[in-house]
Amino acid sequence: MTIFDFLTLLGGLAMFLFGMNVMGDSLEKISGGKLESILEKMTNNRIKGVLLGLVVTAIIQSSGAVTVMAVGFVNSGIMALKQVIGIIMGAHIGTTVTAWLLSMTGIEGSNIFIQLLKPSSFAPILAFVGVMLHMFSKSDKKKNVANILLGFAILMIGMNTMSASVSGLKDVPEFTNLLLKFSNPLLGILAGALLTAVLQSSSASVGILQALSATGAISVSVAFPIILGMNIGACTPVLISSIGTNKNAKRTALVNLFLALSGVAAAMIVFYGGNAIFDMPFITERVNATSIAIIHSVFNIFATVLLFPFGGLYEKLMYKIIKDNPQEETAANTTSLVEDRFLLTPAYALDKIKEHCDEMALLAKTNILMSLDFIKIYSRVKDEKIKENEKLLDKYEDQLETYLVKISSMNLGVDESMKLSKYSHAIGNFERIGDYGVNILKTKRKMHKEKIHFSSDANKELDIMAKAVKEIIENSTNAFLNDDVDLAQTIEPLEQVINNLKAQLRARHSKRMSDGECSIENGMLFFDIINSFERIADHCSNLAVCIIELSQGSYQTHSYLKGVKNSDNKSFMQSFEDYLNKYAIR
């Protein structure tokens, strides 16, 4: 093997890893976070968890990503430890699919159809189709399909390049002697574990082993312990991801390691014990890419079937090793609303943001409805509840906005970028709506403390405006919760009516003040309340415009508002008239 062969090997490895990364990322984007959502919702029994873990890992081509996601599920309280054990077992089997895809490099035969199955034949075709599709497609979905084709083609070309570059090693005695050392089980396991820990991917390390098998110098006795070690090395990124998590998440990472170690121990007993008793002749046979895929699959299926009945025992063992500390657990569970581990899948991370935005919407609406009740009757219980909700809203805004900044640094498609923009606007508006609820609370608290009362006319007017505010907050939050564009379109005409009401109420109360019916202090408190009402409506309008505009793939607030308020817009004018009549001061 010359220096040029070595450089070719490095180039082939680079293409292989790059292709695997591109294909995996594109598969994730195609799934749009749906696979992770399915995992979250459909793991009420271990058998189902194994099947789902297998399927999701086979699709996204990464057992590490799925297991790290499982740690995130447990850390955020979405799942219990017993639910993710099945997912982890299934992920171990699902990761073997990559080896079967790579085994196509070893296909041999003179038949034209068999030749077409060889990567050297179809990979250039896939690459060409992928490039054409990427160049001439505008939709994100088609570009992701193009990237999958390109990634797979590059992966296969890299695999072929590696295999070709190392083929000369079969005539190098030093290489053969080195491999013989790995027939020692402990050295082989250590080599496989280290390689996988460095590459952070068992699929990549299995692929490299398959490429080396092209030398014809790797026997079953060498490949077997290396493959066992790869399963242990694959636990490295999961263990790293558990740093800084709560105890249940640490248990999840540890159970992944224990399952791998137990599977390896059982396989070694069966394999080497069987060889000692029966002197298995195939142990010295040379392996190829397909043989390695078979060994990899048989081992993982064997380990899963063997260990599956003991899932409950592993769960209990984790609780024995990592004991509960209620104070630490409470602190860990209250530090973060969202999991950084979900950033592995930006689409799923955005789905989790939407869930928390929905919670913000309900909190903001609850605060406003309670504050509107304050206009009539002060309640100390509701006073405390509004303050508590406001602290929650502030926490949501701080953490979710920070999380959105992290997501924005990821490679997002157009749809995901639109969602990010929508949620960012929603978070800010819901927090500000909550603030104005607190402003109303403070005003009413002062009135209660100093025994200040409005006149019957002022109370009647405030009640009319409060009803309009109640309707706009309910419509805007429901429009956001359900992504209801039609309902969002009812917000702007109502917001205009609330603006008119503010002007009317201000003028009427100014007259009462000039007539001596109300004091200056009384008037200022009245103006504070109606100003808060108007500002709440403004933020509801912002939400509605965001929902409407982003549903059309743009966000042009001023142009939208200018167009919708045009006197030629019959729908807007009709709604405006209807709301004017509904909330008229008589």
Side-chain angles (χ1 to χ4, degrees):
M1 185 177 183
T2 67
I3 183 64
F4 299 106
D5 291 327
F6 178 72
L7 293 175
T8 303
L9 173 63
L10 288 180
L13 178 60
M15 286 192 289
F16 175 79
L17 295 175
F18 178 72
M20 183 172 286
N21 186 58
V22 169
M23 185 173 69
D25 287 349
S26 300
L27 284 165
E28 278 282 8
K29 288 180 181 178
I30 284 284
S31 74
K34 294 183 180 66
L35 294 174
E36 288 77 8
S37 297
I38 291 171
L39 277 180
E40 176 188 335
K41 296 171 184 175
M42 297 180 67
T43 51
N44 53 343
N45 68 62
R46 203 178 306 139
I47 294 176
K48 194 181 290 184
V50 170
L51 294 174
L52 286 169
L54 189 162
V55 171
V56 174
T57 304
I59 291 173
I60 68 174
Q61 296 287 294
S62 176
S63 61
V66 171
T67 311
V68 169
M69 190 70 67
V71 172
F73 288 151
V74 174
N75 193 53
S76 60
I78 294 172
M79 286 184 183
L81 176 61
K82 62 182 179 182
Q83 289 177 286
V84 300
I85 289 176
I87 293 175
I88 293 168
M89 289 178 170
H92 289 173
I93 300 175
T95 194
T96 64
V97 171
T98 307
W100 283 105
L101 292 174
L102 297 174
S103 69
M104 289 189 291
T105 56
I107 293 174
E108 295 179 358
S110 57
N111 186 288
I112 187 171
F113 295 107
I114 293 177
Q115 287 293 317
L116 285 173
L117 290 175
K118 290 176 70 68
S120 57
S121 301
F122 69 75
I125 298 172
L126 290 181
F128 179 78
V129 172
V131 168
M132 291 298 103
L133 194 59
H134 197 280
M135 288 176 62
F136 299 108
S137 297
K138 294 183 179 179
S139 75
D140 277 351
K141 189 172 183 179
K142 289 181 180 178
K143 284 185 180 293
N144 285 327
V145 171
N147 286 338
I148 291 170
L149 296 177
L150 279 169
F152 185 64
I154 293 169
L155 180 151
M156 285 300 184
I157 292 169
M159 185 71 177
N160 275 338
T161 304
M162 283 195 296
S163 298
S165 67
V166 299
S167 60
L169 289 174
K170 61 186 176 183
D171 300 321
V172 179
E174 291 81 5
F175 176 72
T176 307
N177 292 332
L178 176 64
L179 288 178
L180 285 174
K181 294 183 185 299
F182 294 132
S183 60
N184 178 309
L186 294 179
L187 285 178
I189 289 171
L190 182 62
L194 288 175
L195 177 63
T196 306
V198 170
L199 293 177
Q200 300 277 289
S201 170
S202 61
S203 296
S205 54
V206 170
I208 291 172
L209 184 62
Q210 286 176 303
L212 288 172
S213 70
T215 63
I218 298 179
S219 64
V220 173
S221 63
V222 172
F224 185 73
I226 291 176
I227 290 172
L228 297 187
M230 288 173 179
N231 275 64
I232 297 173
C235 300
T236 304
V238 183
L239 290 169
I240 293 171
S241 78
S242 69
I243 296 171
T245 61
N246 62 31
K247 292 194 174 182
N248 270 331
K250 287 184 173 70
R251 291 181 185 120
T252 304
L254 195 60
V255 81
N256 180 51
L257 177 63
F258 271 53
L259 287 170
L261 290 172
S262 300
V264 167
M268 286 180 70
I269 292 169
V270 171
F271 184 79
Y272 292 106
N275 185 53
I277 297 170
F278 302 108
D279 191 23
M280 297 180 292
F282 65 82
I283 199 168
T284 57
E285 289 183 5
R286 303 304 171 188
V287 295
N288 56 27
T290 304
S291 306
I292 290 171
I294 292 172
I295 295 171
H296 194 214
S297 296
V298 169
F299 162 66
N300 280 288
I301 293 170
F302 161 78
T304 299
V305 171
L306 179 69
L307 300 176
F308 182 83
F310 304 104
L313 291 176
Y314 277 99
E315 181 188 3
K316 291 177 183 177
L317 178 61
M318 294 306 106
Y319 280 95
K320 292 283 186 183
I321 296 172
I322 302 177
K323 298 184 183 298
D324 279 320
N325 183 324
Q327 292 182 339
E328 286 182 16
E329 202 65 16
T330 300
N333 283 329
T334 55
T335 54
S336 179
L337 290 167
V338 279
E339 269 290 323
D340 280 351
R341 289 155 195 83
F342 296 157
L343 293 170
L344 287 169
T345 311
Y348 181 73
L350 285 168
D351 287 345
K352 304 311 293 181
I353 286 286
K354 174 62 165 64
E355 290 178 13
H356 291 305
C357 283
D358 289 350
E359 292 163 8
M360 280 192 82
L362 295 173
L363 279 172
K365 183 174 80 169
T366 299
N367 261 17
I368 296 305
L369 295 182
M370 283 196 294
S371 68
L372 293 179
D373 290 340
F374 267 65
I375 305 301
K376 298 175 182 177
I377 302 172
Y378 175 81
S379 165
R380 186 174 296 279
V381 174
K382 289 183 178 179
D383 187 321
E384 293 299 321
K385 186 62 178 175
I386 289 174
K387 287 190 292 184
E388 181 184 329
N389 286 352
E390 177 58 23
K391 287 180 181 177
L392 272 176
L393 284 169
D394 289 341
K395 176 184 176 182
Y396 272 70
E397 183 195 32
D398 180 49
Q399 293 197 17
L400 297 184
E401 284 289 6
T402 300
Y403 198 67
L404 283 177
V405 170
K406 293 179 182 178
I407 297 176
S408 67
S409 67
M410 311 297 285
N411 185 15
L412 303 179
V414 174
D415 290 343
E416 291 166 345
S417 296
M418 287 292 181
K419 283 184 180 180
L420 188 144
S421 179
K422 177 180 177 180
Y423 300 155
S424 180
H425 282 91
I427 290 165
N429 282 297
F430 286 135
E431 195 277 331
R432 293 300 294 145
I433 287 171
D435 285 346
Y436 287 108
V438 172
N439 286 354
I440 296 171
L441 164 67
K442 290 177 179 177
T443 301
K444 186 60 182 179
R445 190 190 295 150
K446 178 180 175 66
M447 292 175 65
H448 175 74
K449 184 178 180 180
E450 298 179 9
K451 294 182 171 50
I452 299 172
H453 300 283
F454 294 135
S455 65
S456 58
D457 285 343
N459 281 326
K460 178 183 175 183
E461 293 164 4
L462 282 177
D463 186 53
I464 291 171
M465 192 172 182
K467 286 177 180 177
V469 171
K470 181 179 179 180
E471 181 169 353
I472 200 169
I473 189 70
E474 287 183 336
N475 285 0
S476 58
T477 52
N478 288 336
F480 179 80
L481 292 172
N482 303 312
D483 203 19
D484 190 334
V485 176
D486 291 335
L487 186 58
Q489 289 174 337
T490 68
I491 305 299
E492 193 56 36
L494 180 53
E495 192 267 342
Q496 290 298 300
V497 168
I498 290 172
N499 285 348
N500 288 358
L501 282 170
K502 175 190 172 183
Q504 289 182 54
L505 266 60
R506 191 176 184 86
R508 285 168 174 263
H509 205 71
S510 294
K511 186 174 187 306
R512 284 192 288 271
M513 289 168 63
S514 64
D515 291 343
E517 296 177 23
C518 294
S519 66
I520 297 294
E521 184 181 21
N522 181 302
M524 296 307 296
L525 294 173
F526 185 88
F527 293 152
D528 284 344
I529 291 174
I530 62 174
N531 283 339
S532 292
F533 281 173
E534 188 264 341
R535 294 300 295 149
I536 290 168
D538 284 347
H539 287 288
C540 288
S541 171
N542 293 343
L543 271 172
V545 173
C546 180
I547 293 166
I548 295 165
E549 282 292 273
L550 291 177
S551 71
Q552 299 169 358
S554 65
Y555 190 60
Q556 302 293 329
T557 306
H558 297 298
S559 60
Y560 167 79
L561 291 176
K562 184 177 180 180
V564 78
K565 295 176 184 178
N566 193 299
S567 59
D568 294 333
N569 190 329
K570 294 181 180 180
S571 175
F572 176 87
M573 295 308 297
Q574 182 60 55
S575 295
F576 179 68
E577 291 294 331
D578 292 342
Y579 282 127
L580 271 179
N581 293 327
K582 184 175 182 179
Y583 296 110
I585 299 174
R586 297 181 175 88

